[in-house]
Amino acid sequence: MNGPQALLELKDLRIAFGGQAVVHGVNLCIQAGERVALVGESGSGKSVTALSVLRLLESAQLSGQVLWQGQDLLQQTPSQMQRIRGDEIAMIFQEPMTALNPLMTVGSQISEVLQLKKLLHRRDADSRAVHLLSETGIDDPERRFGAYPHQLSGGQRQRAMMAMALASEPKLLLADEPTTALDASLRLQMLQLLADLQQKTGMAVL
């Protein structure tokens, strides 16, 4: 008996670099609103698997299927993938400094996503960005809106990156070890925040 169509389904996903296999046939299924943890030791291919869902591994050879709501992402054109990235599937990374532009304020980066993806006017996008920053628990969000990434603590940067990922209201959030760079008490806070935001928005999380 077939259940409801999965939001994301990986079928025998294999990833190789220069003919050297690094991921050997992953099968994974995520339903709408579900949270799934991909567990493995360092270097076992967790991040590579997440990045391959969005086809962000330029030099990788991918085979198998990555079914997004029934459509194979490995068969999509670059422009189709561009629309899916951020719009429907968003990603947060282990190290926010690599994901945030050091030359733009945090607020303007979130605002830019809202202007591009949600077609909001600048003023509306700015106020929505402040709201998203406060949703992720950043203290004094109006002031943080105008801060550059290097002016924020590690925990604040991680929250800002989460706000940026949530800006386009994705159906699926790929969270690539989002607590690695944080100390133990902040890790728990971030995981609780992810759970709260998931409950509030109904998105699925890997």
Side-chain angles (χ1 to χ4, degrees), residues 112-128:
E112 188 175 68
V113 172
L114 290 160
Q115 290 170 62
L116 286 170
K117 299 287 187 185
K118 293 293 172 191
L119 305 179
L120 294 183
H121 290 298
R122 169 101 191 253
R123 186 182 298 175
D124 296 337
D126 286 357
S127 70
R128 174 87 184 124

Side-chain angles (χ1 to χ4, degrees), residues 4-200:
Q5 184 188 70
L7 189 66
L8 177 73
E9 191 173 2
L10 307 185
K11 287 187 172 180
D12 195 31
L13 175 66
R14 293 169 184 271
I15 306 167
F17 292 94
Q20 181 71 43
V22 293
V23 170
H24 308 260
V26 171
N27 293 287
L28 172 75
C29 190
I30 303 179
Q31 302 292 346
E34 191 177 19
R35 185 164 19 151
V36 172
L38 190 56
V39 182
E41 61 195 50
S42 187
S44 62
K46 302 182 299 293
S47 298
V48 166
T49 299
L51 288 164
S52 69
V53 169
L54 287 173
R55 301 233 321 258
L56 289 172
L57 298 167
E58 302 225 330
S59 56
Q61 296 91 52
L62 305 175
S63 63
Q65 289 183 302
V66 177
L67 298 176
W68 173 247
Q69 302 178 113
Q71 275 193 317
D72 189 357
L73 296 185
L74 301 188
Q75 306 302 326
Q76 302 298 301
T77 65
S79 63
Q80 287 170 320
M81 283 309 300
Q82 193 63 43
R83 190 184 54 73
I84 289 166
R85 280 185 208 120
D87 267 19
E88 298 180 27
I89 307 175
M91 187 158 185
I92 51 177
F93 299 89
Q94 303 184 30
E95 186 29 79
M97 280 309 263
T98 57
L100 295 168
N101 183 337
L103 303 178
M104 286 174 74
T105 65
V106 164
S108 62
Q109 291 182 64
I110 301 166
S111 178
E112 188 175 68
V113 172
L114 290 160
Q115 290 170 62
L116 286 170
K117 299 287 187 185
K118 293 293 172 191
L119 305 179
L120 294 183
H121 290 298
R122 169 101 191 253
R123 186 182 298 175
D124 296 337
D126 286 357
S127 70
R128 174 87 184 124
V130 171
H131 174 72
L132 282 164
L133 285 169
S134 81
E135 287 264 278
T136 58
I138 273 192
D139 55 324
D140 199 356
E142 284 89 354
R143 194 157 68 87
R144 304 289 178 221
F145 178 94
Y148 288 89
H150 72 270
Q151 295 173 314
L152 301 181
S153 69
Q156 289 169 334
R157 283 199 291 268
Q158 205 66 336
R159 288 169 194 269
M161 191 163 61
M162 216 175 269
M164 200 161 146
L166 294 172
S168 53
E169 299 170 339
K171 292 177 183 166
L172 171 65
L173 181 66
L174 304 174
D176 181 16
E177 299 193 32
T179 60
T180 302
L182 305 175
D183 64 42
S185 62
L186 269 177
R187 278 180 194 188
L188 277 175
Q189 278 181 34
M190 291 307 293
L191 291 171
Q192 187 56 55
L193 173 63
L194 255 180
D196 293 346
L197 290 168
Q198 182 184 16
Q199 218 169 10
K200 199 178 287 187

